[in-house]
């Protein structure tokens, strides 16, 4: 999670919401990294999770990331939850809950939906306060 937090700090430099993600292979090595880049890339799909999954798929030489773990600082949204399921990620670890747009247990639970073709193991609340702090500060600065 600390590596994902480091990625989140990079998003702030891009003027974006501080969310970071890393993908770990079966041995625990980082094979993908990402942080929100929607503002810098002018791309609504440039979420940390999507970018980390893309990098991992390229590095692994396959879009099928079964046996891999995605670690992200904020509960994924519906788009990212869909990408997680489509990539066959086995485990999702996230820090802060997203009560407004979360799709891994808050608003929806798309990654474990029984109607889907696969279910992802979810471990939530890892370093939750540490992951929530930069998000809270980011949005407080925007409201001032």
């Amino acid at each position: 999670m600390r590596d994902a937090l480091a990625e989140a700090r990079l998003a702030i430099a891009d003027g974006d919401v501080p969310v970071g993600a890393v993908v770990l292979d079966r041995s625990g090595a980082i094979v993908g990294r990402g942080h929100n880049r929607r503002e810098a890339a002018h791309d609504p799909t440039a979420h940390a999770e999507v970018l980390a999954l893309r990098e991992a798929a390229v590095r692994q030489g396959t879009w099928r990331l079964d046996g891999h773990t995605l670690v992200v600082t904020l509960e994924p949204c519906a788009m990212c939850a869909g990408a997680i399921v489509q990539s066959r990620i086995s485990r999702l670890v996230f820090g802060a809950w997203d009560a407004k747009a979360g799709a891994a247990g808050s608003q929806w639970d798309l990654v474990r939906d029984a109607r889907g073709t696969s279910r992802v193991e979810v471990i939530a609340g890892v370093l939750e306060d540490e992951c929530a702090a930069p998000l809270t500060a980011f949005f407080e600065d925007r409201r001032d």
Side-chain angles (χ1 to χ4, degrees), residues 1-11 17-24 29-37 45-56 59 69-77 80 83-84 89 91-95 131 135:
M1 186 60 77
R2 300 234 183 262
D3 290 304
L5 281 162
E7 286 293 321
R9 287 189 287 278
L10 296 174
V17 178
V19 178
V22 295
V23 177
L24 309 174
I30 294 175
V31 295
R33 295 177 179 272
H35 58 275
N36 276 3
R37 292 193 38 83
T45 68
H47 287 208
E49 301 93 324
V50 171
L51 298 176
L53 290 169
R54 286 178 183 162
E55 182 176 298
R59 289 185 68 189
T69 299
L70 174 66
V71 180
V72 61
T73 57
L74 179 65
E75 179 184 5
C77 69
C80 293
I84 290 164
I89 283 284
R91 181 178 303 111
L92 166 64
V93 177
F94 69 86
C131 291
L135 291 160

Side-chain angles (χ1 to χ4, degrees), residues 73-76 94-109 112 122-126 128 131-132 135:
T73 57
L74 179 65
E75 179 184 5
F94 69 86
W97 289 92
D98 186 346
K100 293 182 181 177
S106 287
Q107 287 294 316
W108 306 278
D109 199 350
R112 293 180 287 197
V122 176
I123 301 168
V126 175
E128 183 173 2
C131 291
L135 291 160

Side-chain angles (χ1 to χ4, degrees), residues 114-126:
R115 296 167 290 186
T117 57
S118 65
R119 283 169 204 70
V120 178
E121 176 188 359
V122 176
I123 301 168
V126 175

